[in-house]
Amino acid sequence: MNKKADVIIVGGGINGSSVAYNLLRDGFTGKVVVFEKDKVYKYSSTPRCAGGFRQLYTTDINVRLSRYSLNIYKHFSEDMAVGGEKPKIDFKQRGYLFLATEKMMPQFEKNLKVQHRNGVQSRLLDKNELLTLIPELNVDDLAGGLFCSESGYLDAYSVMQGYIKYAKHLGAEYVYQEVTDLVIEGRKMKGVRLDNGDIYEAPLIVNCGGSWGAQLSAKAGMKFSIVPSPRQIFQFTCEKPLENYLPLTMDPTGVYFRHEGEQLIAGYSEPIRSAYDYSWRREDFVEHVWPILAHRVPNFEKAKIVRGWAGIYDYNTEDHNAIIGKYPGVDGYYVAFGFSGHGMQQAPGVGKGLSELIRTGKYETIDLSPLRPERFTEHQLVVEDAIY
Ligand SMILES: Cc1cc2nc3c(=O)[nH]c(=O)nc-3n(C[C@H](O)[C@H](O)[C@H](O)COP(=O)(O)OP(=O)(O)OC[C@H]3O[C@@H](n4cnc5c(N)ncnc54)[C@H](O)[C@@H]3O)c2cc1C
């Protein structure tokens, strides 16, 4: 006899676990099973991410998702305690800062309007204000910046573990096996096939498979323009410590940097290439990152690389945003993938939204319908300018 659930979630990363948690927390009484193929999350994107949290987006939907998530992350430790044990997510609200050249400022002024109408306390800074934040900054070629003090960075792995622990506490079952196929009969979702050939039945499947999610869909003929694209992060020290702890700072070139404990991390906007490549290359730091760091903050001239790592973006090549919602044409199939580098910070809102959509058939807290899968055939792309 096949095993049965009411909802199957493929992928127990930050998004899949947020969906499981929110469903059960919101009162869903059915059986929720999460399939995760990588029990230690070695190759999942969540633990490999930079942990950046920002509200400085250019589309209403991304700003709203971030704002919702901000409120969740601010109280995450208290709200997600299980058996008195609080997850320590280390949310450093040191701000998020986009540095701007003269040419970029008019666009930032426009972005500010989108952010303000959604309640974000972002503001434009002049050169002097930049220097109060980062006294060592080279502002010679800058006109100013766009800053939001409520944002910052956090420990994504601990957030994910917090969701997993609470979801299990509420009754979600985690099964550490790979889903190899979706089982569809006619136009109805029937379940999933596992790597040992077994079928696990459920009328409702949520695909939160990260950079593998689109491939599982494609096997059943549902195609998405998503590629797995590698990104590296470099951890380094500098001889002379900075006066202040850094906001997550984005240089006009797309190189970003922030503190990681007393050390620093940095990354850059790498060309999109379809590969599962988890190697990091010291020479990429030397060639693409270090010259920009050294120009921007003279203390970084004597940067000493400590380590590096790489992870995978599930990159939506059409409009660089998540694809979230019910898949049209197959009853019972929901997706949440294609996050393109900002899926950690959106996870609380994604889980809440999908919980509502699954339980009640509509969004209540945040309308995630702009991110629906049909937007591509409807030519209603969500074009976000601030993607790196
Ligand atoms: C270098 C780097 C920096 C980043 N920086 C940021 C940042 O600063 N801020 C931010 O918000 N985001 C950032 N991101 C993006 C962020 O990491 C992702 O958007 C987010 O972690 C996606 O979470 P997820 O749960 O959807 O995917 P994942 O964490 O990848 O989880 C998906 C899970 O599904 C499992 N799975 C997949 N297919 C199957 C299957 N068939 N059967 C069973 N299990 C399956 C996988 O093993 C995996 O554990 C960054 C990413 C990288 C790589």
Side-chain angles (χ1 to χ4, degrees), residues 10-16 35-38 41 43-53 57 96 160 177-180 208-213 216 229 231-233 248 256 309-314 336-337 339-346:
V10 182
I14 196 167
N15 279 296
F35 284 98
E36 173 51 59
K37 64 178 175 161
D38 180 357
Y41 294 92
Y43 297 109
S44 316
S45 296
T46 305
R48 292 171 176 267
C49 89
F53 181 93
Y57 286 102
Y96 208 105
M160 182 184 78
Q177 253 183 292
E178 179 169 358
V179 169
T180 54
C208 295
S211 63
W212 300 271
L216 185 65
S229 192
R231 288 284 171 127
Q232 302 169 78
I233 295 184
L248 197 151
Y256 66 87
W309 66 90
I312 308 294
Y313 272 19
D314 50 331
F337 47 44
F339 287 96
S340 311
H342 44 288
M344 181 281 294
Q345 59 206 282
Q346 298 190 329

Side-chain angles (χ1 to χ4, degrees), residues 112-151:
L112 207 64
K113 289 189 186 133
V114 181
Q115 292 149 17
H116 286 184
R117 73 171 174 244
N118 288 293
V120 178
Q121 294 159 24
S122 50
R123 60 196 175 97
L124 292 173
L125 304 183
D126 63 22
K127 288 187 187 199
N128 287 332
E129 290 169 304
L130 288 179
L131 289 169
T132 59
L133 279 178
I134 311 174
E136 302 83 355
L137 202 69
N138 172 8
V139 292
D140 288 352
D141 55 345
L142 299 177
L146 177 59
F147 181 62
C148 173
S149 63
E150 289 179 312
S151 303

Side-chain angles (χ1 to χ4, degrees), residues 153-173:
Y153 34 96
L154 47 77
D155 176 356
Y157 180 76
S158 298
V159 173
M160 182 184 78
Q161 288 298 344
Y163 275 129
I164 293 170
K165 221 170 175 180
Y166 215 123
K168 286 182 177 174
H169 172 68
L170 294 171
E173 193 183 321

Side-chain angles (χ1 to χ4, degrees), residues 194-235:
L194 305 176
D195 51 3
N196 60 1
D198 286 356
I199 291 193
Y200 210 114
E201 291 178 23
L204 211 148
I205 312 293
V206 190
N207 185 337
C208 295
S211 63
W212 300 271
Q215 293 162 10
L216 185 65
S217 263
K219 280 185 171 178
M222 296 175 272
K223 299 223 167 80
F224 293 90
S225 301
I226 295 176
V227 294
S229 192
R231 288 284 171 127
Q232 302 169 78
I233 295 184
F234 309 95
Q235 189 162 338

